[in-house]
Amino acid sequence: MATTKGTKSTKVGTRVRGGEVRVDLETLKKTVDEGLGEARTAESADALEAVRITYLGRKGLMPQVMKELKSVAPEERAEVGRLANSFKNELAALLESRRGELNGAHSASDEAPVFDFTLPGQGSRRGTRHPISMVIEEAVAIFGRMGFTVAEGPDVETPYHNFDALNTAAHHPARDRQDTFWLDDGNLLRTQTSPVQIRVMESRQPPVRIVTPGRCYRRDTTDATHSANFHQIEGLYVDHDVSLADLKGALAYFAHEMMGPDVAVRFRPHFFPFTEPSVECDFSCHVCGGAGCRVCKGSGWIEIAGAGMVDPRVFERVGYDPESTTGYAFGMGIERIAMIRYGIPDIRLLYENDMRFLRQFS
Ligand code: PHE
């Protein structure tokens, strides 16, 4: 900063008797450096003005130097005069440009958008659960009330778990390249949640009572009721003296809890390689009550699950005693249940991430 009154004169020369100042070249050079330095580092318009007053003001150092020029040693005089003049010009220009700089910075920040704390906030919408998740959670809860716990298995399966251990022979059409997504390493994307039955039985002894929800994959062409990626929930109950009636009772309880108390359950004979006997399980149409409508395609029934008594060959594979062990298994499509329950006409709506559609469920 600028010098104070008492040291002012010593900035440009040597004070001699009676307050008189002798200007000399060396001191002046130091003054010049200081002045330019102060001008460069001043951080406000006021600080710049103080620098100007100190060096260039009417009672400032440079007018004083000019006044004292006659006292300078004759051999230095010309040089002192030149230096003082060039310094005055340089400092004036520097002050000018620094002033512009500081003003510019100042006005830029003046115009910068100021955050208005009184503006209403941007509301963040609370998400909703996906209908597929809702059906899975509800199904798990319903079976949970019957003592089932949740088990999970990998989406990428070995052919052994997806087919062989489920008594599905090498020539079975489900193993066709056209029906299944095969990976280069010989594994595949599971076509059903049934391989989890095998994994669970391989790892523990009866009694077993599990449900296993998850993704499945088939090389289906997508249409209103098919998707190459879909979800199933599998159930497996293994113990002694388990009967088909137990299976029907469990699925009837599920039907009532999931669809409503008036929904009836029927079994139709069917075939699956890993259950014997095998059934397909239909629920009476909850829309028309069984009279026949568009949803049930006029039949009054809707196919919900594949099921049956676990084939003794499967027990053999996992090392259970096929004589003393009995059990049932079922597998149902989650999307099918969601579509019926919520009246969703096209399976593709479930995968398109259209928020207008998804927000309807919660
Ligand atoms: N995994 C069979 C399917 O996807 C369904 C099923 C599961 C059948 C369990 C019987 C027992 O079609």
Side-chain angles (χ1 to χ4, degrees):
M1 263 295 281
T3 49
T4 58
K5 222 178 172 189
T7 57
K8 239 182 197 176
S9 43
T10 57
K11 260 202 154 227
V12 287
T14 315
R15 190 190 295 275
V16 291
R17 290 169 279 112
E20 214 180 298
V21 171
R22 287 275 154 80
V23 175
D24 63 80
L25 188 58
E26 203 181 316
T27 316
L28 180 62
K29 278 181 180 166
K30 253 187 249 155
T31 305
V32 165
D33 286 344
E34 279 172 26
L36 294 174
E38 285 166 26
R40 269 185 216 109
T41 54
E43 281 174 356
S44 66
D46 286 350
L48 280 178
E49 180 59 7
V51 174
R52 189 193 67 77
I53 290 167
T54 302
Y55 293 91
L56 307 179
R58 214 154 40 81
K59 293 180 183 159
L61 292 168
M62 286 312 110
Q64 194 184 341
V65 168
M66 292 326 232
K67 214 168 76 201
E68 301 294 334
L69 215 48
K70 57 185 181 313
S71 71
V72 177
E75 64 278 16
E76 287 189 350
R77 200 172 291 152
E79 182 62 17
V80 166
R82 216 174 359 237
L83 180 59
N85 274 323
S86 76
F87 170 64
K88 283 198 287 187
N89 293 336
E90 195 178 343
L91 184 64
L94 181 59
L95 289 171
E96 182 66 37
S97 83
R98 287 293 332 272
R99 209 173 286 128
E101 203 179 293
L102 289 174
N103 283 342
H106 193 227
S107 65
S109 74
D110 271 354
E111 286 157 20
V114 174
F115 185 75
D116 180 354
F117 289 93
T118 66
L119 286 173
Q122 287 195 347
S124 58
R125 248 182 223 273
R126 185 191 287 212
T128 56
R129 285 180 305 158
H130 194 282
I132 289 176
S133 304
M134 291 168 68
V135 169
I136 289 175
E137 283 170 26
E138 182 139 359
V140 163
I142 294 168
F143 285 110
R145 294 199 283 278
M146 289 186 268
F148 288 78
T149 55
V150 174
E152 286 183 303
D155 288 16
V156 175
E157 264 299 2
T158 65
Y160 177 78
H161 288 94
N162 198 82
F163 295 126
D164 301 279
L166 289 163
N167 200 33
T168 307
H171 59 263
H172 195 282
R175 299 179 75 139
D176 197 285
R177 304 220 139 251
Q178 297 309 310
D179 288 339
T180 308
F181 292 103
W182 292 89
L183 303 172
D184 290 341
D185 64 4
N187 291 324
L188 66 143
L189 297 179
R190 67 180 179 190
T191 60
Q192 51 191 352
T193 42
S194 302
V196 187
Q197 288 186 36
I198 304 301
R199 290 183 177 276
V200 169
M201 288 191 282
E202 278 174 343
S203 66
R204 57 177 107 147
Q205 290 300 309
V208 168
R209 193 165 5 190
I210 53 107
V211 281
T212 163
R215 287 199 172 87
C216 302
Y217 307 82
R218 289 182 198 173
R219 285 181 66 154
D220 277 334
T221 304
T222 302
D223 63 21
T225 54
H226 292 86
S227 165
N229 173 203
F230 59 101
H231 299 71
Q232 287 187 337
I233 183 163
E234 188 92 5
L236 175 70
Y237 177 32
V238 179
D239 204 337
H240 303 293
D241 302 322
V242 178
S243 74
L244 201 67
D246 295 325
L247 170 63
K248 196 163 185 181
L251 290 177
Y253 176 75
F254 174 76
H256 298 153
E257 293 291 292
M258 188 60 121
M259 297 297 181
D262 299 329
V263 170
V265 169
R266 78 173 183 187
F267 281 176
R268 281 179 291 114
H270 199 72
F271 172 77
F272 294 104
F274 42 94
T275 45
E276 181 59 36
S278 300
V279 297
E280 265 191 332
C281 177
D282 299 338
F283 290 0
S284 64
C285 180
H286 71 301
V287 175
C288 62
C293 68
R294 222 166 49 92
V295 173
C296 59
K297 296 192 180 98
S299 76
W301 295 93
I302 298 169
E303 183 191 315
I304 294 289
M309 302 308 292
V310 178
D311 195 300
R313 292 223 201 169
V314 174
F315 287 144
E316 264 171 50
R317 288 274 193 169
V318 298
Y320 286 3
D321 174 10
E323 293 300 323
S324 65
T325 315
T326 48
Y328 65 70
F330 58 84
M332 43 197 163
I334 299 291
E335 280 81 349
R336 164 65 66 90
I337 296 171
M339 289 170 75
I340 294 167
R341 195 166 178 205
Y342 301 116
I344 299 167
D346 192 316
I347 198 170
R348 288 168 287 202
L349 288 164
L350 293 167
Y351 309 115
E352 285 167 349
N353 281 340
D354 184 336
M355 295 305 283
R356 293 167 303 177
F357 169 75
L358 293 175
R359 277 202 199 106
Q360 300 175 89
F361 313 94
S362 56

